[in-house]
Amino acid sequence: MFDFSYTIWIVLIPFFLFILIGFLGNKFKPAVSGIVGSAGLFISWILSIYTAYKYFFVVGRVDDVYQQIIGYNTLWLRFTDTLHIDMGVFIDPISVMMLIVVTTVSLMAHIYSTGYLKGEKGFERYYAFLSLFTFAMLGLVVATNIFQMYIFWELVGVSSYLLIGFYYTRDTAVAASKKAFIVTRFADLGFLIGILLLSYYCGTFDFLTLTSPTGPAIGTPPAATFIGMSVLTWAMILIFMGGAGKSAMFPLHIWLPDAMEGPTPVSALIHAATMVVAGVYLVARLFPIYITVPIALQLVAWVGAFSSLFAAIIACTQYDIKRVLAYSTMSQIGYMMCALGVSGMGGHEGLGYMASMFHLFTHAFFKALLFLCAGAIIHAVHSNYLHEMGGLRKYLPITHITFLIACLAIAGIPPFSGFFSKDEILVAAYHHDTALFLIEYVVAGLTAFYMFRLYFGIFWGKKQDYHHAPHEAPKSMTIPLIFLAFGAMFAGFIPFSHLVTSDRHIFELHTEWIIAIPSIVIALVGIGVAWVMYLKPTGIPGKIAHALHGFYRAAYHKFYVDELYLFITQKIIFDHISKPIAWFDRHIVDGSMNGISYVTNQASDRIKGFQSGQLQQYALVFVSGAVILALVFIYLWT
C-alpha cells in the first residue's frame, strides 16, 4: 500500500559520494569535495525528512498502530530455507527517528567542516571518509536483520578508525585510532558470538521474526543452558557487550576520550550523536527479547548507571574541553542505557524504552552543538585547554549564545529539550529502582556543574593574553551552530510518545512535576556552584582539590583505568603469558623443527658422496657389498 523502496537511496547516496570523492576528489579543487559531499548529504537528509513525514503522518493516519515496513530488501546469502542474510531497509519508528538523527548531524558536520578544515592537507580524503562513515551508520540503523547490522557495525568501526587517525602524522592520533579500533573489535567479538548463538538456536537473523511475540526467541525460546543460564541469556549479554564497546560503557570506555584526537567535526559526528548511540540502538532494536531476559536487562541498567556516574565525576576534573565533552557523552549514553534497563523492572515496561529513545533524539542536537561550539572556540584561540581561555563572550557572540543554549539543554533546565527527555528517564528509574534513581539524580547535578564549569571558564572567567584577537567563526561554521541550537531549544516539544512507538497508547510520556521540580533544583544547584567557583577567578577550586586530594587525583587520572589496562596487558599478559609462550614457540617448537632439519642436513652431507655420479665408485661399492654379503653368509653357514 505504501511504497518506501526509494529509502535505499538515503543509504546509497553517501556510498556513491565516498566512491566519487575518494577516486576523483584530487582531480578538482579541494572545496569541490566539500560542496559535493554536503550537497549529497542534503539530498539524503531531505529524503529522510520526507520518509518521517510519510511514515508518521500518512501511514499513522491510516493505522493507529504503526506498521513495520520493509522498504527495500534483497537476498544476499542463503544457508537454509529459514536462515539467510538479506540486505535491505527496515522502516519502523526508531529506524525513522535514527535516519533523521544521522542525516541531520552528518549534514551539519559536512557543512561545518568546509570552514573548519579549509586549507587542511587531505581535505578530499576527509570528505571521502566522512561519507563512508555516514553510509555505514545509515546501513546499520535500517538493517532488516542482525547480520546486516553486524556488517555495517564493523564498517562503522573501520571508518571511525580512518577519521580518528585523519592527522596521521601525529603519533597521538595514530595511537588513538588504533586504541579505538582494538577496544571495539574486542567488544565486537562478543557481539558476533552472541549473534551466532541467537541465530543458531532461533534459526533466523531477521529482526521481524526474532522480535515477534510468537517467534523463536520470545514465543518458543531455546531451552539449552550453559553454566546455570539459558543460551538466550548468554546471547543477549554477549550482544550487549558489543553495544557497550561501541557506546563506550565501562569498562570498555577507554577509547572514547583519546578519540578526541580526530578533527572536531568528527567528534561531533561520531562521538556525540551517531556511533556512540549505536549500542543504545542495538539494545532498543532487540528490546522485545531483552525484556524476556531479566538478568541481561539488569546488567544493561547497572552498567549504564555506573558509567554515567563514573564519567560525570571524571568530567568535573578535566581541562581539555573536548575530553570533558567526551566524558559527558559517556555519561549521557549511560543515562540512555539505564533507562532501557529499568524498562524491564516492574510494570510500565515501555516507559524507560521511550525515555531512552527520546533522550537519544534530544541528545543528538545539544551534544553535536557542544562539540561544534568547542571547534569554533578552538579555531579562535588555538588551544583545547580551559585554563588558556576566558572572557570570550565578547569575541564569539554566536558561539557564546549557542553554547549556553546547549549547556542549559544538557543540564535539564526547562523549556530546553534535555529537560523533557532527562525527566522521563528519572521518572522511569523512580518507578522501577530507587538505587538507580538516586544515582541518576546525582549525575543530573554533576552534569549541570561540569557543563557550566566549562561555560563560565570559557566565556567569563579571567581574560587571557591571547597572541591574536579571537574572532567569530565563518558562516559555514556558525550556521550549523544556529540550526542545532534551535533543535536543542525546541526538540523537547515534539510529541515523541505519539510518534516514535509501535503503539501510541502504551508508551505515553508526560512530565511528573514531583520528580521534575527536584531535578530542576539539583541542576540549578550545580549551576550555582559552578557560578561561585568559576565566574571569576577564585581559590575555591584549588582548595576543594586539595581537600579531596587522593580522590581528586584519582578522578583527574581517570581512576587509573588506562594504567590498569596497561598493567594487565603488559605486565601480566605480555610478560607472564605471552613471553613464556613466545619462548616455548621459539625454542621448543621452532627449536625441535630446526634440530630435525639440522640433523637431516648433517646426515645428508655425510652420505652425499654415495651419490657422486662416478661409475667406478658405484662399481667399487657394489663389488665391496657383494663380497661383504658373501663373507657374512659363508661365515653364518659355517
Side-chain angles (χ1 to χ4, degrees):
M1 181 178 179
F2 299 101
D3 182 17
F4 284 87
S5 59
Y6 68 89
T7 52
I8 188 63
W9 289 104
I10 299 174
V11 182
L12 290 181
I13 287 173
F15 174 72
F16 290 129
L17 288 173
F18 164 66
I19 299 296
L20 179 66
I21 298 172
F23 285 97
L24 300 177
N26 59 355
K27 305 293 183 183
F28 307 100
K29 292 182 179 180
V32 174
S33 297
I35 294 170
V36 171
S38 301
L41 254 295
F42 180 75
I43 296 172
S44 284
W45 180 67
I46 291 295
L47 289 175
S48 298
I49 296 292
Y50 174 68
T51 301
Y53 167 77
K54 185 177 179 181
Y55 184 76
F56 291 129
F57 298 103
V58 178
V59 175
R61 287 175 181 171
V62 176
D63 289 304
D64 196 42
V65 178
Y66 291 118
Q67 302 174 22
Q68 294 176 312
I69 300 169
I70 303 297
Y72 176 87
N73 199 56
T74 183
L75 178 66
W76 185 45
L77 291 175
R78 179 176 293 280
F79 304 107
T80 66
D81 290 339
T82 58
L83 192 61
H84 51 85
I85 301 175
D86 298 340
M87 288 290 174
V89 176
F90 185 42
I91 303 298
D92 79 333
I94 61 170
S95 65
V96 174
M97 180 268 293
M98 284 297 292
L99 283 177
I100 298 296
V101 168
V102 174
T103 54
T104 299
V105 178
S106 182
L107 177 61
M108 294 302 105
H110 274 73
I111 296 172
Y112 184 93
S113 297
T114 58
Y116 187 82
L117 290 171
K118 185 178 181 180
E120 286 275 6
K121 182 181 179 182
F123 191 81
E124 305 90 341
R125 172 169 52 89
Y126 170 82
Y127 269 93
F129 293 161
L130 210 58
S131 299
L132 177 64
F133 173 83
T134 306
F135 162 68
M137 195 65 209
L138 290 170
L140 185 156
V141 300
V142 299
T144 61
N145 60 85
I146 196 169
F147 214 95
Q148 179 187 341
M149 177 180 275
Y150 179 74
I151 292 168
F152 283 97
W153 187 279
E154 294 300 322
L155 189 56
V156 166
V158 171
S159 52
S160 65
Y161 165 81
L162 296 171
L163 286 168
I164 294 167
F166 174 72
Y167 297 118
Y168 60 86
T169 55
R170 300 179 186 173
D171 293 338
T172 51
V174 173
S177 62
K178 290 192 294 184
K179 188 175 184 180
F181 191 80
I182 292 169
V183 173
T184 52
R185 292 296 72 70
F186 175 76
D188 293 349
L189 174 62
F191 185 19
L192 178 59
I193 295 171
I195 290 173
L196 296 177
L197 283 173
L198 187 65
S199 60
Y200 177 79
Y201 283 97
C202 294
T204 182
F205 295 113
D206 184 63
F207 281 131
L208 277 174
T209 306
L210 284 172
T211 58
S212 170
T214 58
I218 302 173
T220 55
T225 61
F226 178 70
I227 316 182
M229 290 196 297
S230 69
V231 166
L232 187 61
T233 301
W234 281 110
M236 302 317 292
I237 289 173
L238 288 167
I239 288 172
F240 172 64
M241 177 180 172
K246 198 71 82 183
S247 291
M249 293 291 93
F250 181 89
L252 299 170
H253 66 283
I254 58 172
W255 65 270
L256 185 64
D258 290 2
M260 297 301 107
E261 292 293 336
T264 300
V266 170
S267 301
L269 179 62
I270 297 180
H271 310 118
T274 53
M275 176 178 167
V276 290
V277 299
V280 178
Y281 181 75
L282 171 64
V283 176
R285 171 59 69 210
L286 295 173
F287 184 72
I289 304 177
Y290 271 102
I291 208 168
T292 66
V293 187
I295 295 175
L297 211 53
Q298 286 181 3
L299 179 66
V300 171
W302 281 100
V303 168
F306 180 81
S307 297
S308 64
L309 179 61
F310 179 83
I313 292 171
I314 295 175
C316 294
T317 66
Q318 301 301 300
Y319 288 93
D320 184 326
I321 63 173
K322 287 180 67 176
R323 286 182 181 266
V324 173
L325 296 179
Y327 280 109
S328 172
T329 298
M330 178 182 168
S331 183
Q332 296 300 303
I333 299 297
Y335 246 99
M336 299 174 206
M337 285 291 191
C338 181
L340 286 171
V342 298
S343 288
M345 302 177 184
H348 304 93
E349 283 82 1
L351 182 58
Y353 170 87
M354 285 309 304
S356 177
M357 294 298 96
F358 194 16
H359 198 58
L360 188 157
F361 182 74
T362 60
H363 175 265
F365 290 99
F366 58 71
K367 185 51 65 66
L369 176 57
L370 285 168
F371 270 107
L372 295 185
C373 284
I377 295 162
I378 294 167
H379 185 267
V381 302
H382 305 291
S383 174
N384 286 31
Y385 293 99
L386 187 60
H387 57 265
E388 296 179 5
M389 302 172 185
L392 288 175
R393 66 188 184 281
K394 295 180 181 179
Y395 299 103
L396 311 174
I398 297 174
T399 304
H400 169 228
I401 296 300
T402 53
F403 193 90
L404 176 59
I405 290 170
C407 287
L408 290 168
I410 195 173
I413 303 299
F416 299 93
S417 60
F419 162 73
F420 298 98
S421 55
K422 186 192 74 171
D423 176 69
E424 297 304 333
I425 292 176
L426 292 173
V427 169
Y430 175 77
H431 285 299
H432 299 103
D433 191 288
T434 304
L436 293 173
F437 168 72
L438 293 175
I439 290 172
E440 299 306 347
Y441 236 55
V442 171
V443 172
L446 291 175
T447 301
F449 170 74
Y450 67 68
M451 287 311 308
F452 276 86
R453 170 177 174 261
L454 277 189
Y455 168 72
F456 290 127
I458 294 169
F459 295 104
W460 297 79
K462 180 182 178 181
K463 181 180 176 181
Q464 303 294 321
D465 294 325
Y466 300 110
H467 297 296
H468 58 281
H471 58 85
E472 188 61 271
K475 289 183 178 180
S476 60
M477 294 170 65
T478 55
I479 289 174
L481 299 185
I482 296 170
F483 181 90
L484 291 170
F486 275 98
M489 291 173 67
F490 301 114
F493 293 102
I494 293 175
F496 200 82
S497 61
H498 288 278
L499 299 176
V500 187
T501 176
S502 58
D503 187 338
R504 66 181 72 177
H505 294 300
I506 294 178
F507 305 140
E508 184 70 28
L509 298 181
H510 60 277
T511 301
E512 291 193 18
W513 290 105
I514 194 171
I515 295 173
I517 291 174
S519 73
I520 296 170
V521 171
I522 197 171
L524 291 174
V525 169
I527 294 172
V529 172
W531 181 80
V532 170
M533 294 173 63
Y534 296 102
L535 181 67
K536 295 180 180 179
T538 67
I540 298 175
K543 292 178 181 178
I544 293 176
H546 180 74
L548 296 175
H549 191 53
F551 182 79
Y552 178 85
R553 180 181 295 180
Y556 178 75
H557 291 285
K558 298 162 282 187
F559 292 102
Y560 303 100
V561 175
D562 284 82
E563 288 79 1
L564 179 61
Y565 269 103
L566 288 174
F567 175 78
I568 292 172
T569 54
Q570 292 187 0
K571 298 298 182 180
I572 297 178
I573 296 177
F574 182 73
D575 290 345
H576 295 91
I577 298 177
S578 298
K579 275 188 175 180
I581 291 174
W583 183 92
F584 181 84
D585 180 65
R586 189 178 302 111
H587 294 89
I588 305 301
V589 178
D590 289 351
S592 61
M593 294 300 102
N594 292 337
I596 292 171
S597 66
Y598 176 79
V599 171
T600 302
N601 287 334
Q602 291 299 314
S604 300
D605 189 59
R606 298 293 177 87
I607 65 174
K608 65 183 180 180
F610 291 122
Q611 297 290 330
S612 64
Q614 296 180 2
L615 186 60
Q616 299 91 329
Q617 183 182 8
Y618 292 167
L620 176 63
V621 172
F622 177 78
V623 172
S624 299
V627 170
I628 292 171
L629 288 173
L631 291 173
V632 169
F633 283 114
I634 292 171
Y635 175 76
L636 290 174
W637 282 102
T638 58

